[in-house]
Amino acid sequence: MEHLALQELEAEAKRCLDPKIADYIAGGADDELTVRANRAAYARVGLVPRVLTGAGQPDLRVTLFGQTASMPVLISPTAFHKLAHEEGECATARAARRAGVILIASMASTVALEQVAAAAGKTWFQLYLQPDLGWTEDLVRRAEAAGCTALVITVDSPVFGHRSRDARNGFNDLPAGMRCENLRETVGSTSRVRSIVFSPELSWKELSWLRERTALKLVLKGLAHPADAKLAVACGVDGILVSNHGGRQLDTVPSTLDLLPPIVEAVDGAIPVFLDGGIRRGTDVVKALALGATAVGVGRPVLWALAMDGEQGVLDMLETLRAETERALALTGFRCPGQLNTGILRMQPAEEPWWN
Ligand SMILES: Cc1cc2nc3c(=O)[nH]c(=O)nc-3n(C[C@H](O)[C@H](O)[C@H](O)COP(=O)(O)O)c2cc1C
């Protein structure tokens, strides 16, 4: 049976999710303009294939920080997988392993990172830097010990975005019995659970502090401005994940596909640039890669697939995206992701660059 396309998963998943949870997953900040922009951007870019290239069978493998992934698709970090399925992040992690992709494990997970990393194999750990640096360092050491190869520092969240749907639904807490397992700490004999602190005090100073304390690769997630991309390179960061948090933080941030080219230009090949937000089709993957992304991430489709059919659902979703990406690559006349370039893109007439 043919599997559902990624954007079809939302409607199906809704049938097995509490409406408040479905809204938590699908929703974005304020008027959700950025959520829509992320998708709309792909319709504005056309693919103009090359023919008779003799490319041969597509080979999607990519090597990221020395690790080979079976395709240039990452699982972006999303919080609280037990909201979608009782096995939570364990099911997602097993699917990632079976598909041979890298899982970016969210700090806000309902299964402890050690368990997630053991199940996934190739794991990067997503971290919100906490103002309590001692505690942040403890968590970094746990990620190192668990075998994670990179830290993905989310920098688009000095405060929490305003999620209109959650506000309307009064959805502001995890259901009883579920908690953020990475935030448990034991003080003497009493065990308590912290909550994640979003702090507007954090700056490049804390990032430099982290750079000095870990040999793990550092990827900054949520960068939008090319000037910040340059600061990131100067700070010794190893990669940038261009992201607007799936439109859940600052509304009216442009689509990530629009943000990507100026960042690729600013970085000038010094470090890899990744992208997430609105990736739903193999042609989307090909367009982002042609514009300079080394790999892309998927967020919401993972949770929809998980809600529908647990580990198998996530695996089916990833295999659908793989088949579509292979097909799009072959139809544009290429064999490997690294060969893609802007020559096959027909962009809507460019506006004045907004970033100067
Ligand atoms: C339900 C949900 C939870 C998320 N939780 C996190 C998180 O804990 N950390 C983080 O850095 N990003 C988080 N994100 C953002 C994703 O990593 C990613 O940037 C975004 O979902 C990509 O867009 P897409 O959903 O259109 O694929 C979350 C997104 C969603 C939808």
Side-chain angles (χ1 to χ4, degrees):
M1 193 186 73
E2 174 139 323
H3 295 130
L4 294 176
L6 270 63
Q7 69 264 40
E8 292 171 335
L9 295 173
E10 179 174 5
E12 283 302 311
K14 265 190 179 162
R15 287 147 46 123
C16 40
L17 281 170
D18 172 332
K20 289 182 182 179
I21 294 175
D23 266 350
Y24 164 71
I25 295 170
D30 297 343
D31 300 315
E32 301 186 349
L33 294 175
T34 297
V35 178
R36 287 197 286 282
N38 277 347
R39 280 297 305 137
Y42 289 96
R44 284 192 281 105
V45 179
L47 288 170
V48 185
R50 301 301 309 268
V51 299
L52 297 173
T53 59
Q57 292 301 321
D59 178 359
L60 291 186
R61 282 172 303 171
V62 283
T63 301
L64 307 174
F65 304 134
Q67 257 176 343
T68 301
S70 69
M71 61 175 166
V73 173
L74 309 156
I75 295 188
S76 277
T78 50
F80 314 136
H81 288 201
K82 283 194 180 173
L83 286 175
H85 189 274
E86 59 189 5
E87 291 172 19
E89 289 80 1
C90 292
T92 311
R94 289 194 302 265
R97 182 189 285 271
R98 285 168 70 191
V101 302
I102 291 168
L103 170 73
I104 309 180
S106 170
M107 169 175 176
S109 65
T110 44
V111 174
L113 76 92
E114 289 79 2
Q115 253 180 291
V116 180
K122 304 180 183 86
T123 315
W124 299 354
F125 182 65
Q126 178 266 326
L127 175 71
Y128 292 107
L129 279 175
Q130 298 296 286
D132 180 343
L133 293 180
W135 192 81
T136 302
E137 188 166 351
D138 287 347
L139 197 55
V140 169
R141 299 287 168 251
R142 281 177 61 189
E144 288 170 348
C148 299
T149 48
L151 293 174
V152 176
I153 313 298
T154 302
V155 291
D156 58 16
S157 306
V159 297
F160 201 65
H162 176 258
R163 318 271 163 85
S164 310
R165 300 193 204 197
D166 296 347
R168 207 170 45 232
N169 293 336
F171 185 75
N172 46 27
D173 227 337
L174 286 174
M178 223 180 270
R179 61 181 167 194
C180 210
E181 289 296 333
N182 291 328
L183 303 179
R184 217 192 304 214
E185 59 177 342
T186 312
V187 185
S189 58
T190 54
S191 170
R192 72 184 180 106
V193 180
R194 291 182 167 235
S195 43
I196 293 178
V197 179
F198 285 176
S199 167
E201 312 286 333
L202 294 169
S203 70
W204 293 100
K205 201 169 110 232
E206 284 75 19
L207 197 74
S208 300
W209 168 88
L210 181 64
R211 177 69 295 175
E212 284 166 17
R213 273 165 189 77
T214 183
L216 292 184
K217 299 293 179 187
L218 288 186
V219 177
L220 288 199
K221 172 174 185 280
L223 256 184
H225 205 291
D228 283 336
K230 289 197 164 154
L231 291 174
V233 173
C235 201
V237 161
D238 303 286
I240 288 172
L241 172 43
V242 177
S243 174
N244 48 33
H245 217 111
R248 294 163 76 84
Q249 282 296 99
L250 177 64
D251 197 20
T252 76
V253 174
S255 77
T256 47
L257 196 70
D258 284 306
L259 294 173
L260 178 66
I263 291 186
V264 168
E265 192 184 320
V267 164
D268 197 19
I271 53 175
V273 178
F274 312 106
L275 165 148
D276 75 17
I279 295 282
R280 302 290 181 267
R281 284 284 189 192
T283 49
D284 300 340
V285 179
V286 161
K287 288 171 191 179
L289 265 49
L291 281 170
T294 300
V296 298
V298 278
R300 293 177 181 85
V302 175
L303 294 168
W304 296 328
L306 187 63
M308 284 168 58
D309 199 12
E311 173 185 342
Q312 190 60 42
V314 178
L315 182 63
D316 290 346
M317 182 276 292
L318 291 168
E319 293 307 329
T320 299
L321 195 55
R322 183 198 312 283
E324 288 189 6
T325 306
E326 274 177 354
R327 194 178 310 124
L329 197 65
L331 286 171
T332 46
F334 294 93
R335 193 174 74 87
C336 309
Q339 297 169 329
L340 288 163
N341 59 71
T342 52
I344 53 158
L345 301 179
R346 169 82 184 267
M347 317 282 287
Q348 257 193 0
E351 295 165 15
E352 280 296 298
W354 53 266
W355 59 91
N356 285 324

